[in-house]
Structures are given as structure tokens and as C-alpha cells.
Amino acid sequence: TFVATPVGAIAGEVKEALAWTSGLVTDVGSVKGALTETLPGLLPKDVHFIGAHPMAGSHERGMGHARADLFADAVCIVTPTPGCDEASLARVEAFWGASASGRRRKYYRITASGRAALAQQRAQWAAVHETLSAVWQPRLRLVGASHG
């Protein structure tokens, strides 16, 4: 079962899909952090979630910008969780490895070391954000006060 919905609604849609599906649930959302924390508690033992993030689309949102060929030849990042079901992972990778045009698509699997590197980079960017916010905040207050 594929879930394609705004990221904030994915966990709820997966929970609803579980009422009528079994086996494998995957998504095409961009953000996985909350899903990997929320979904394991929702999934029965015989249902597996393997996340995927196709690099497709544009900055535009909504059904008015949907296209039938949106994922055609798209590069995809497959985001298995540690200890995921290998058969389910193989099915998702096989899906993203083939394209309607017959060309082999590229997909990438994030590894445990990749997750660790991302966590480290996230922490570094949080420190940069905190420092810049501390520098900019007094300036923003002055600008806001002069316009108030």
C-alpha cells in the first residue's frame, strides 16, 4: 500500500490503511523522523513500513499541480529502519529500481552510518541556528520597536 499525502497526515493515513491492508506500507513523503518514531507502535507484526522519498515534483503544491508522470525516472531515497523486514525492503527497492520508460532508476538506501552523520549535521546546524538567532534577535527587536 502506498501512502501519498501531506507529511503531517501520513501516520494517520497509514493507520487508516492498516484497517484494509496487510504486508507492506510505504510512502512518498519527504520527512521521515516523526514517522519512524510513530509508525512502529501502529503496525501489527505482519505489516512492515519502509519509507521512501522520491526526488520529484516542484515547489508547487496541491492537486492542481499533480502529474501522472511525477515519479517517472525519479531518483528515490529508500529509508529503512534498523531491523526492518528484508523482503519488504527488497520489494520497495525493486519498485523504485524500475521505471515505466524501461530505464533503470537510481535509488539510494540510507544506512546506519548515514543516519549517524545526518544526526551529527543536524546538531551542528542547530548550534549555528542558536548562535545566529542570539546575534540577530536584539537587532530584530530594535527594528520592530522602531516600526511599532
Side-chain angles (χ1 to χ4, degrees):
T1 300
F2 277 86
V3 176
T5 188
V7 173
I10 290 175
E13 293 298 319
V14 167
K15 187 174 182 179
E16 186 175 321
L18 291 174
W20 53 268
T21 191
S22 64
L24 173 61
V25 177
T26 188
D27 76 313
V28 292
S30 59
V31 180
K32 301 291 181 249
L35 290 177
T36 58
E37 293 170 9
T38 305
L39 288 179
L42 297 175
L43 301 176
K45 285 189 178 265
D46 63 337
V47 177
H48 306 282
F49 174 77
I50 306 289
H53 179 173
M55 306 304 282
S58 71
H59 65 285
E60 297 172 321
R61 297 175 154 199
M63 292 299 292
H65 302 286
R67 300 187 333 259
D69 67 342
L70 181 64
F71 298 129
D73 297 325
V75 170
C76 184
I77 299 171
V78 179
T79 59
T81 54
C84 73
D85 179 67
E86 289 295 322
S88 296
L89 176 58
R91 285 179 62 197
V92 171
E93 289 178 341
F95 173 82
W96 286 109
S99 73
S101 69
R103 286 185 26 206
R104 182 132 177 82
R105 272 191 266 201
K106 292 183 181 179
Y107 70 88
Y108 300 89
R109 182 192 304 185
I110 191 161
T111 63
S113 63
R115 286 182 198 282
L118 284 173
Q120 182 181 23
Q121 289 175 1
R122 229 180 268 127
Q124 290 170 351
W125 278 110
V128 168
H129 176 265
E130 185 177 320
T131 301
L132 291 175
S133 293
V135 170
W136 291 334
Q137 198 60 38
R139 174 74 180 134
L140 291 175
R141 277 193 224 114
L142 288 174
V143 169
S146 67
H147 288 75

